[in-house]
Amino acid sequence: PQLTPPSYPMEAAKEGTGANLYVIVEFAGDGKVIRAAVERMEIMPSYARKPGDLAKLGARFEQATLKAVQGWRYPVEWVKSMEGGLARIPVNFRMRDQTWSRIYEMEKREIPWLDAPRAVHVANVSASGEMGSKRVVLLNRPEEGAAL
């Protein structure tokens, strides 16, 4: 697959905040992304944060992830093995030697274009294309022009 990792949001990187995002992706028959949405997100700050701050960080993680996902492309044979071309792909943001005060699970979101009958057929997919995998790990690079 051609997967460019998302940029690590600079504010989150500076303070050592991590996140796990679970992205629902719909692929076209040629392996290109048609659309994507974050279904669920967990934020792991390095210190206690206010809910409003967490929401802002979550929005930055989501924006970086969806921007990267739009450029992803999976091999046609993998997409054909996904019923309906739907996949759930976890994207993890981690800093080396990261420690967290706790994990905050953000509110699960309804995805308007993913109706109940289609939702049953979402495949869990990894970067290697393994079906049923629970993780895909992309090494995140800092945002452009950022200095840590």
Side-chain angles (χ1 to χ4, degrees), residues 18-23 38-44 54-63 65 91 93 103-109:
N20 296 321
L21 287 82
Y22 299 86
V23 183
V38 173
E39 175 186 44
R40 194 165 59 94
M41 182 183 330
E42 300 161 343
I43 298 179
M44 292 88 66
L54 290 173
K56 287 177 189 172
L57 283 171
R60 289 190 178 100
F61 281 119
E62 180 174 12
Q63 180 182 20
T65 299
V91 177
F93 289 85
I103 297 175
Y104 295 88
E105 186 160 343
M106 307 304 278
E107 187 175 318
K108 188 172 179 177
R109 301 176 184 173

Side-chain angles (χ1 to χ4, degrees), residues 36-98:
V38 173
E39 175 186 44
R40 194 165 59 94
M41 182 183 330
E42 300 161 343
I43 298 179
M44 292 88 66
S46 55
Y47 60 91
R49 300 295 300 258
K50 296 176 185 174
D53 292 341
L54 290 173
K56 287 177 189 172
L57 283 171
R60 289 190 178 100
F61 281 119
E62 180 174 12
Q63 180 182 20
T65 299
L66 293 177
K67 181 178 178 182
V69 168
Q70 289 304 318
W72 288 1
R73 188 175 182 142
Y74 271 75
V76 172
E77 60 274 9
W78 291 0
V79 174
K80 286 181 182 176
S81 67
M82 298 175 208
E83 191 168 334
L86 294 168
R88 176 179 292 107
I89 304 174
V91 177
N92 304 307
F93 289 85
R94 297 276 188 283
M95 300 295 290
R96 271 195 196 113
D97 303 322
Q98 206 167 23

Side-chain angles (χ1 to χ4, degrees), residues 79-148:
V79 174
K80 286 181 182 176
S81 67
M82 298 175 208
E83 191 168 334
L86 294 168
R88 176 179 292 107
I89 304 174
V91 177
N92 304 307
F93 289 85
R94 297 276 188 283
M95 300 295 290
R96 271 195 196 113
D97 303 322
Q98 206 167 23
T99 58
W100 302 297
S101 63
R102 64 177 287 191
I103 297 175
Y104 295 88
E105 186 160 343
M106 307 304 278
E107 187 175 318
K108 188 172 179 177
R109 301 176 184 173
E110 296 297 320
I111 301 173
W113 49 265
L114 185 63
D115 56 20
R118 293 182 70 213
V120 172
H121 301 292
V122 176
N124 289 317
V125 178
S126 73
S128 65
E130 295 176 36
M131 302 306 260
S133 174
K134 295 184 188 214
R135 295 218 175 271
V136 60
V137 177
L138 301 174
L139 300 176
N140 306 99
R141 64 188 191 295
E143 293 175 331
E144 271 187 47
L148 292 177

